[in-house]
Amino acid sequence: MPRPVVTPDMIETFRRDGVVLVRGLFADHVETLRAGVERNMAEPGPYASNNEKAGQTGRFFDDYCNWDRIPEFREVIQDPGVAEVAGALMESGRVQMFHDHVLVKEPGTSMATPWHQDGPYYFVEGRQTISFWSPLDPVREATLRCVAGSHRWEKEVLPTRWVSEEGFFPDEGQYMPVPDPEAEGMVILEYEMEPGDAVGFDFRTLHGARGNTSDARRRAFSLRLVGDDARYVERPGRTSPPFPGHDMVPGQRLREDWFPVLRVE
């Protein structure tokens, strides 16, 4: 199908809300990504989790940082059209790989994806960042939910461990508590989506997802990318993903042998 065209309205929406819908971004890669997800679930990486929580039903599998060992993911990441859309939305001439993420909620999975911002977990700082979240099955209720404008909040939201709900880093005082967007009347943006559609959102955008109480799978592939101003920053503990032994110093661009540059304009 024709590649999505990034319009000025989409750029303004992403700038204002920290989230924008891109119809059909991965439409040409749905079967490839489905095959990659199956390979990933059959051969989990070291960070894989089933997010098992007492009282919850179903299976919520997630894993990340597998693109360099799963050829299907590598093929999709190298599509220049995806990097072109990312660069346009970030308003960045440079598009660099950060990591991939697979999230699968099997039928009858009650566990929700907790409200969180990705940025506080990462060792990346910058205004030009984007995550693409793309379902590989039609989604209605178990779609991604994003809080409009949360990427512009002055204080970051406390990063927590999804199962234990404990703080991820020792110094919780530097963060704001995890809000309840519905109870607090925040504007929540969510979209009914078809396989290959994508939601693009800023690393600092608060987001989450309901459980999957339907009788169909909800497979999703996420791709995290950074732009011109992204730099390595130290956090008060092991980050997620951790990337041990990276040898970067604060203020440095991410090393290109680990985080390939996908586009330079």
Side-chain angles (χ1 to χ4, degrees):
M1 65 176 291
R3 293 195 184 281
V5 175
V6 177
T7 66
D9 283 348
M10 292 171 68
I11 295 171
E12 176 55 31
T13 296
F14 184 68
R15 188 186 297 151
R16 180 190 67 235
D17 296 339
V19 56
V20 67
L21 179 64
V22 185
R23 294 286 185 195
L25 180 61
F26 295 97
D28 291 342
H29 301 298
V30 171
E31 291 304 324
T32 301
L33 288 171
R34 286 172 175 168
V37 169
E38 294 311 303
R39 187 191 298 269
N40 193 167
M41 296 184 77
E43 305 168 11
Y47 307 123
S49 173
N50 284 313
N51 294 293
E52 295 171 326
K53 190 173 182 179
Q56 301 284 358
T57 61
R59 182 188 185 194
F60 177 11
F61 172 88
D62 84 293
D63 197 3
Y64 47 72
C65 300
N66 292 296
W67 68 271
D68 58 348
R69 70 179 186 90
I70 295 182
E72 292 89 350
F73 295 166
R74 185 164 58 248
E75 175 186 334
V76 173
I77 288 164
Q78 291 172 341
D79 180 346
V82 173
E84 182 179 350
V85 170
L89 290 172
M90 290 191 295
E91 301 177 83
S92 172
R94 177 187 176 96
V95 177
Q96 188 172 7
M97 177 69 185
F98 185 40
H99 76 92
D100 57 283
H101 196 172
V102 166
L103 304 108
V104 179
K105 292 183 178 178
E106 300 289 5
T109 296
S110 59
M111 183 175 171
T113 304
W115 289 107
H116 67 286
Q117 296 170 317
D118 288 340
Y121 293 89
Y122 295 165
F123 57 37
V124 176
E125 197 168 61
R127 294 282 172 179
Q128 291 167 305
T129 65
I130 193 166
S131 290
F132 288 124
W133 183 95
S134 181
L136 306 179
D137 306 283
V139 290
R140 301 297 180 262
E141 293 299 316
T143 190
L144 193 71
R145 313 177 77 203
C146 296
V147 174
S150 52
H151 65 307
R152 292 183 276 108
W153 290 349
E154 291 186 6
K155 203 169 187 180
E156 292 180 318
V157 172
L158 175 70
T160 63
R161 301 183 186 279
W162 287 6
V163 174
S164 68
E165 300 181 3
E166 298 172 335
F168 200 83
F169 297 127
D171 183 10
E172 298 186 7
Q174 65 179 303
Y175 303 100
M176 65 179 284
V178 180
D180 183 340
E182 289 177 306
E184 297 177 40
M186 297 177 181
V187 177
I188 301 171
L189 302 176
E190 55 185 314
Y191 314 91
E192 293 188 353
M193 300 171 69
E194 298 301 322
D197 290 344
V199 173
F201 60 97
D202 190 292
F203 284 2
R204 297 160 296 158
T205 298
L206 188 74
H207 61 285
R210 300 181 184 89
N212 177 26
T213 57
S214 75
D215 57 2
R217 304 182 81 188
R218 196 228 63 184
R219 294 166 288 182
F221 175 77
S222 281
L223 180 58
R224 328 288 192 191
L225 306 168
V226 299
D228 290 321
D229 73 348
R231 297 292 187 273
Y232 171 75
V233 63
E234 287 188 346
R235 300 293 187 187
R238 171 181 157 121
T239 59
S240 176
F243 295 110
H246 57 73
D247 296 326
M248 291 183 290
V249 297
Q252 180 182 341
R253 277 184 164 163
L254 302 188
R255 51 185 295 178
E256 295 180 12
D257 55 337
W258 286 27
F259 307 95
V261 175
L262 304 179
R263 176 182 171 84
V264 179
E265 190 177 79

